[in-house]
Amino acid sequence: MLALAPLSAFAQFNGSGWYRAQSQASQRYLTVVDPKKIYRSGDNIFLGGLNCLPDFEDGVVCNPATICWFEQKAVSGSIYSINLIGQGLNFDQRVNGSASLNIWATANGCWLYGSGSGLTRYIYDPAVSYSPYVPYTRTGRSNSDLWNMLPVNSSAGQYFGIRPDVQVTADGSYWATLYAGFPFVPTEGMKVYTVSKVENGYAVIKEITGTAPKETPLLIRCAGSTVAQNIVTLKSYYEQVSGVGINYLRGNYYCYIDPSRKKEHNVLAYNATTMRMLGTYGDGRAAFVKSDIEYVPANKAYLLVNASTPATLKVVTEEEYTAGVETVTIDGAVPAARQGVYSLDGQRLGDTPDGLPKGIYIVNGKKVVIK
């Protein structure tokens, strides 16, 4: 477990960058959960799309929605005019220029406030029982409203790490999906993929080397079982990364269910016909499978498929697929001596391979690659 560095070393705003904002009063972290509920109306700025989350080691450290790009636009003395960008949120666009977000830096911390056309509203976290998560705004300010601005990097103080979703038994590896608003460089031993092809019962993955681009749904082969083993290095929001090409993964930023009212706000309903979630296959490999979840989790990716797609899609690399997936065990439901053409998941496709698209098939009991 990584130890946290003293907050005093990180309490100030030092120009544009990735930060977590932590309330000094509640010790909780500002988190983006639904940009649609961030707007200005009259003399108020509504922040229902922001939550305040506790438990750094338990959840904040692996939650990309706790990390925002605080972009410095102008500075006057100790007051910085900023834009807040992160996990699908762009504050300036949400308020349509009717207000600006500001940081007022002091020796003891920072005030966060919105202003415009005579409006000044300070953001604070009341940490009271009737509002356990949502931050408030008010016209006055006090020292109890101060925030720590904590730069996020790969150090022991403030970092982002990936928590595995599944472990596979074939080789003991750990896997996760991620949909994040920031580009990053994975740690040693971690691999980052997109899904370049879905056919013949397989999800074919393509590795991304170097910097993983922002706002791109990804499949991650983790370096280890703990968040601390899967720390990534965040790059600038404006880091230029080449395109990833075809990607059948789709991402979901939000799954906001009000914990006090049990009410769904910004959620994506799971559809078993057209979606597959990360899981495992019976032979111990990673796979994308049908799920019984109600909503797609926040900051995660799912595989977009058509209605005729098998319930389970084994994960294989492009190299494995092109080479005939020699390391993959063919389903025992397809006898080797059976005549005809079959897909690798055992579906009979006809008597001959004539007219079939590119892919790998079982023809009269033998594996055949059609190019």
Side-chain angles (χ1 to χ4, degrees), residues 24-314:
Q24 290 189 8
S26 69
Q27 297 293 293
R28 300 189 299 196
Y29 295 82
L30 210 61
T31 306
V32 180
V33 296
D34 186 358
K36 294 179 181 179
K37 293 186 175 296
I38 298 175
Y39 58 93
R40 178 183 176 178
S41 179
D43 63 352
N44 206 346
I45 296 175
F46 289 89
L47 299 174
L50 297 176
N51 273 5
C52 290
L53 297 185
D55 303 326
F56 181 86
E57 294 289 352
D58 184 52
V60 171
V61 67
C62 56
N63 188 336
T66 64
I67 300 172
C68 285
W69 182 262
F70 283 76
E71 184 169 30
Q72 179 179 318
K73 300 188 298 182
V75 58
S76 177
S78 58
I79 297 178
Y80 302 84
S81 176
I82 63 167
N83 186 22
L84 186 65
I85 303 172
Q87 291 305 90
L89 167 66
N90 184 307
F91 181 85
D92 283 356
Q93 292 178 2
R94 289 300 308 161
V95 299
N96 296 318
S98 65
S100 64
L101 197 61
N102 307 279
I103 293 176
W104 185 344
T106 77
N108 298 316
C110 299
W111 284 301
L112 299 178
Y113 67 97
S115 63
S117 303
L119 165 70
T120 300
R121 302 285 295 190
Y122 290 85
I123 303 171
Y124 70 104
D125 180 16
V128 292
S129 59
Y130 61 83
S131 179
Y133 297 100
V134 180
Y136 279 55
T137 65
R138 56 186 171 196
T139 55
R141 66 179 187 274
S142 70
N143 286 339
S144 64
D145 301 339
L146 289 171
W147 298 80
N148 295 312
M149 300 301 301
L150 309 175
V152 180
N153 49 49
S154 56
S155 75
Q158 286 290 323
Y159 61 94
F160 174 78
I162 296 172
R163 174 170 290 162
D165 297 326
V166 300
Q167 180 185 16
V168 302
T169 58
D171 58 7
S173 59
Y174 295 86
W175 296 76
T177 64
L178 178 68
Y179 190 45
F182 46 75
F184 66 89
V185 176
T187 190
E188 183 178 357
M190 183 185 297
K191 292 184 179 295
V192 180
Y193 302 96
T194 56
V195 175
S196 60
K197 187 181 300 183
V198 176
E199 63 183 31
N200 297 321
Y202 290 93
V204 183
I205 57 177
K206 180 179 181 180
E207 185 176 358
I208 295 175
T209 58
T211 301
K214 66 177 182 288
E215 300 165 357
T216 302
L218 301 168
L219 174 66
I220 313 290
R221 179 173 174 143
C222 299
S225 61
T226 67
V227 174
Q229 292 173 300
N230 300 304
I231 295 174
V232 305
T233 301
L234 274 58
K235 307 295 285 186
S236 166
Y237 178 79
Y238 297 103
E239 179 88 1
Q240 295 298 316
V241 181
S242 59
V244 299
I246 296 173
N247 186 10
Y248 285 88
L249 290 173
R250 296 294 183 268
N252 181 47
Y253 278 137
Y254 315 112
C255 189
Y256 179 30
I257 301 175
D258 189 321
S260 60
R261 301 177 183 176
K262 305 297 183 183
K263 180 180 179 182
E264 299 86 358
H265 289 284
N266 196 344
V267 296
L268 175 63
Y270 174 73
N271 185 336
T273 301
T274 58
M275 295 177 177
R276 299 290 182 270
M277 305 301 297
L278 179 62
T280 59
Y281 189 69
D283 66 357
R285 295 178 65 99
F288 283 93
V289 302
K290 279 189 176 182
S291 175
D292 59 0
I293 60 175
E294 189 174 1
Y295 303 114
V296 177
N299 313 311
K300 292 296 181 180
Y302 61 93
L303 194 62
L304 184 66
V305 299
N306 59 46
S308 62
T309 301
T312 300
L313 296 161
K314 299 182 190 178

